[in-house]
DNA sequence: TGAACATATGAACACTTGTTCATATGTAAA
DNA sequence: TTTACATATGAACAAGTGTTCATATGTTCA
């Protein structure tokens, strides 16, 4: 039909509603912002990190106790704590040889609640 | 990934505060639930899927228009829409040859807002 | 000082993931 | 039917990820 042909782009990609595409394009946030958002959620996309965060909901904990709690190696926990630290989700406080980690973000708990709601329904 | 040594002796791990570990352990949700939560957030951990979802905030769209909007192949978009569909985050409606996708979850927008707040601060 | 301990870190490896490519499926018009 | 089109899907591949292992760093105490 002519209608469809008129809405064809010069590229090889077909388009149903060119005007809609342009409207939505203008409302999209910057590429970089959306990338950062994905990077942020990526941190929650691993069950070990989820477990660490949940543990820290309950109490500040040192590395070895988290490792004991989750029955994982100290090294694995330390690596993951670094990821959480780099995302500014946890902070740490040194006390002698021990390093205590705690949550450093007010949004996590609500985000987890919403995620749980989705899973449950 | 996730090749955990099941035979690891839990007693060979040092512990700072055994009582705390046990207390936290009892408050932890089921392993499966935490795994599902990680799987849920994993869906948000890719910028293509983030972009698709953000586009669907603005309007229901067909596959080819999303592909055009994001300047990606139809196949790549279709693959990612399947991931979103499997997570019950989007639904679709067929109209002739065209398939229109729309958001199917009330939590996403709030989750994105909270994520944005974290990034901005 | 040196031993013991708690944590951090780099490399290696197996597993995972997102895209492309080719093709299949399904729909509507000619 | 045949053709064109919109979408879905499987295989393959490169890039990414989480854990282990070995070791380094840093702290406390004898």
């Amino acid at each position: 039909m002519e209608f469809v042909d008129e809405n064809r782009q010069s590229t090889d990609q077909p388009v149903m509603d060119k005007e809609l595409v342009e409207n939505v394009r203008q409302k999209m946030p910057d590429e970089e912002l959306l990338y950062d958002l994905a990077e942020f959620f990526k941190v929650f996309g691993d069950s070990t990190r989820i477990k660490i965060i949940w543990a820290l909901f309950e109490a500040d904990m040192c590395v070895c106790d988290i490792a004991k709690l989750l029955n994982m190696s100290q090294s694995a926990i330390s690596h993951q704590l670094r990821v959480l630290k780099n995302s500014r989700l946890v902070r740490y406080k040194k006390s002698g040889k021990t390093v205590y980690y705690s949550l450093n973000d007010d949004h996590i708990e609500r985000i987890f609640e919403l995620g749980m709601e989705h899973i449950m329904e």
Side-chain angles (χ1 to χ4, degrees), chain A:
Chain A
M1 284 177 76
E2 286 180 11
F3 178 78
V4 173
D5 288 339
E6 284 173 359
N7 279 285
R8 284 214 164 285
Q9 297 289 87
S10 55
T11 67
D12 59 353
Q13 293 215 47
V15 181
M16 292 297 297
D17 190 335
K18 186 177 178 180
E19 191 178 351
L20 175 67
V21 170
E22 287 310 315
N23 275 341
V24 174
R25 193 192 303 279
Q26 289 184 356
K27 291 179 181 172
M28 294 288 282
D30 285 347
E31 171 102 14
E32 187 184 336
L33 192 60
L34 296 175
Y35 179 83
D36 290 344
L37 193 60
E39 288 300 302
F40 173 67
F41 287 126
K42 199 173 287 184
V43 177
F44 297 128
D46 174 75
S47 62
T48 296
R49 290 192 291 268
I50 290 280
K51 290 175 193 171
I52 292 174
I53 291 171
W54 206 286
L56 296 180
F57 281 151
E58 305 300 336
D60 298 358
M61 295 183 78
C62 66
V63 180
C64 69
D65 282 359
I66 299 173
K68 174 72 179 174
L69 171 69
L70 304 184
N71 197 31
M72 295 180 63
S73 72
Q74 173 269 321
S75 178
I77 300 301
S78 188
H79 277 298
Q80 296 299 8
L81 282 169
R82 181 168 50 167
V83 174
L84 295 172
K85 193 173 58 183
N86 289 343
S87 304
R88 306 175 356 260
L89 291 171
V90 304
R91 60 173 177 273
Y92 65 94
K93 210 175 77 170
K94 285 195 168 188
S95 173
K97 290 174 290 186
T98 313
V99 180
Y100 290 94
Y101 282 82
S102 56
L103 290 182
N104 188 35
D105 186 278
D106 297 327
H107 308 106
I108 307 177
E109 201 143 13
R110 183 71 188 126
I111 290 174
F112 274 34
E113 281 177 16
L114 291 167
M116 281 297 188
E117 285 180 20
H118 174 83
I119 291 171
M120 299 300 196
E121 72 188 14

